[in-house]
């Protein structure tokens, strides 16, 4: 008798799992256990059975789990505890946050949201931990608690993200909050606490603690490695060691598909062959990693205009009251553009005009761009509008700082100027217990010799100033670098 038939004909099993045999709805069986106290033998046995049931759901589609069809991963099965978080206004807010910010203004298909991305990361996180449990569960001690924790971290990792992708955090907030340490990872942690309290979700205190640690694992707020139990679990959703995690697995494929770009990245192969060695996830040495670039000159022009519009609307819309209060933060999403666009308030006129320009395709005009020479990166300081106008030679038009916008775009392979492969461990075959990094000499045909680019792009707010600003930008390059840097 298979698992489905067994559950259908055994009410006692339904009762133990917290299932109702009549309507087959799953209800989470959450234990109130003190931090650090693990399951009894009876609970471990029950956990093993639950893991088998969850594995079956993953591969066979058990009807007891609610499922949605995803255009990247197919059917995604949602467990009961995760549903309690999904069915909140805080999580549903992610439907109104586009994954690629304003890229849809250039790539019309890029309208997918952080909601579906979060579902994808949840699914891949569950698949990853299940594969490790299947192949190494006994030696690694992976239990029900670990599986559920990793999956929750996957579904909640972006719950604190701001509007317009990373524009909000890295370009808008620095202009209005001097010296602020605000980050979407820290807000995600605050939102997790708020959701649990606001919606009275029954969940173990230790599980919430570890979910938050996993969300912060790749941020500057990550806890010390020595303080973590089963350190490899923290590499699945947000990998702070080398940046290779299921978050990237999902968005690389999902974003490429949405933009209509080809993508031959086969994350399934990496997940099938991964193995834990010395408390870290390692990969077969024949599996390749690759580089992706998320930048486009016209998308950047729109980004810069939205930043200016948000700065102009910051005080009137009292945005500061939202970003520090989890109980209000869920109300802040991409629809703030529509709020600005439709408001009759005189205080929003400049911001409203900018938004109107975007929709009428009257964008900031691209003038010039260059790659910062490699030998200048160590002491590189962001180029400003003031740098450009000070490089203007005598002419008929005198540039003003408000005429020029400069974008400093950093592109790297997840590890800054360091080779990311230095932090990724590989193994030869499943009979070997040795792990090792891949030296540069073995990957020179796959990766560049340098692992970070800094691109400086210069824009004009007025079409008639494009030529003057372009010349000033080239003068700046000659003065600063001794030559015109190679155009990207």
């Amino acid at each position: 008798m298979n698992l489905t038939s067994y559950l259908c004909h055994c009410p006692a099993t339904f009762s133990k799992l917290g299932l109702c045999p009549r309507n087959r709805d799953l209800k989470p069986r959450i234990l109130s256990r003190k931090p650090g106290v693990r399951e009894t033998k009876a609970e471990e046995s029950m956990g093993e059975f639950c893991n088998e049931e969850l594995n079956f759901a993953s591969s066979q589609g058990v009807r007891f789990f609610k499922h949605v069809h995803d255009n990247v991963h197919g059917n995604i099965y949602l467990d009961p505890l995760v549903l309690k978080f999904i069915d909140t206004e805080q999580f549903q807010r992610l439907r109104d946050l586009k994954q690629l910010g304003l890229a849809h203004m250039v790539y019309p298909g890029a309208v997918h949201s952080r909601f579906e991305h979060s579902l994808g990361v949840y699914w891949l996180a569950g698949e990853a931990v299940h594969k490790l449990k299947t192949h190494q569960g006994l030696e690694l001690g992976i239990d029900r608690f670990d599986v559920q924790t990793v999956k929750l971290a996957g579904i909640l990792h972006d719950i604190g993200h701001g509007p317009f992708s990373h524009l909000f955090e890295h370009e808008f907030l620095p202009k209005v909050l001097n010296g602020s340490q605000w980050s979407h990872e820290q807000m995600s942690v605050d939102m997790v606490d708020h959701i649990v309290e606001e919606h009275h979700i029954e969940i173990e205190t230790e599980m919430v603690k570890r979910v938050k640690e996993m969300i912060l694992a790749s941020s500057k707020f990550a806890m010390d490695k020595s303080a973590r139990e089963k350190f490899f679990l923290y590499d699945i959703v947000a990998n702070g060691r080398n940046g290779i995690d299921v978050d990237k697995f999902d968005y690389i494929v999902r974003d490429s598909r949405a933009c209509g770009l080809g993508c031959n990245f086969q994350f399934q192969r990496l997940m099938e062959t991964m193995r834990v060695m010395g408390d870290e996830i390692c990969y077969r040495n024949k599996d390749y990693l690759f580089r992706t670039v998320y930048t486009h000159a016209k998308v950047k022009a729109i980004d810069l205009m939205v930043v200016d519009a948000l700065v102009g609307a910051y005080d009137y819309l009292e945005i500061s009251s939202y970003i520090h209060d989890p109980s209000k933060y869920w109300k802040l999403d991409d629809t703030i553009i529509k709020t600005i666009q439709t408001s009759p308030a005189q205080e929003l006129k400049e911001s409203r005009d900018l938004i109107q320009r975007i929709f009428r395709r009257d964008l900031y005009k691209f003038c010039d761009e260059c790659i910062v020479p490699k030998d200048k990166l160590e002491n590189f300081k962001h180029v400003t509008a003031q740098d450009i106008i000070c490089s203007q030679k005598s002419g008929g038009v005198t540039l003003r700082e408000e005429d020029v916008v400069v974008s400093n775009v950093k592109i790297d392979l997840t590890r800054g100027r360091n080779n990311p492969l230095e932090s990724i461990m590989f193994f030869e075959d499943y009979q070997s217990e040795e792990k090792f990094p891949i030296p540069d000499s073995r990957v020179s045909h796959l990766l560049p010799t340098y692992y970070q680019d800094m691109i400086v792009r210069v824009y004009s707010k007025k079409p008639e100033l494009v030529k003057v600003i372009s010349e000033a930008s080239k003068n700046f390059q000659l003065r600063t670098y001794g030559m015109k840097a190679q155009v990207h």
Side-chain angles (χ1 to χ4, degrees), residues 34 155 358 385 470:
K34 293 180 179 179
I155 199 72
I358 292 173
S470 297

Side-chain angles (χ1 to χ4, degrees), residues 45-72:
S45 176
M46 184 87 261
E48 288 296 318
F49 187 88
C50 288
N51 278 335
E52 291 175 11
E53 195 267 347
L54 287 170
N55 274 322
F56 186 86
S58 174
S59 60
Q60 302 297 328
V62 165
R63 291 176 292 173
F64 309 120
F65 285 77
K66 182 175 181 179
H67 73 275
V68 296
H69 187 79
D70 179 63
N71 66 357
V72 173

Side-chain angles (χ1 to χ4, degrees), residues 138-180:
L138 291 178
E139 63 177 285
L140 298 177
I142 298 175
D143 54 25
R144 176 200 63 82
F145 180 93
D146 299 323
V147 173
Q148 186 70 77
T149 303
V150 171
K151 290 165 66 178
L152 276 174
I155 199 72
L156 297 172
H157 78 289
D158 269 354
I159 194 72
H161 232 293
F164 316 117
S165 193
H166 293 277
L167 175 154
F168 184 81
E169 178 178 351
H170 298 304
E171 299 191 46
F172 166 61
L173 289 183
K175 289 180 178 290
V176 294
L177 298 178
N178 294 327
S180 171

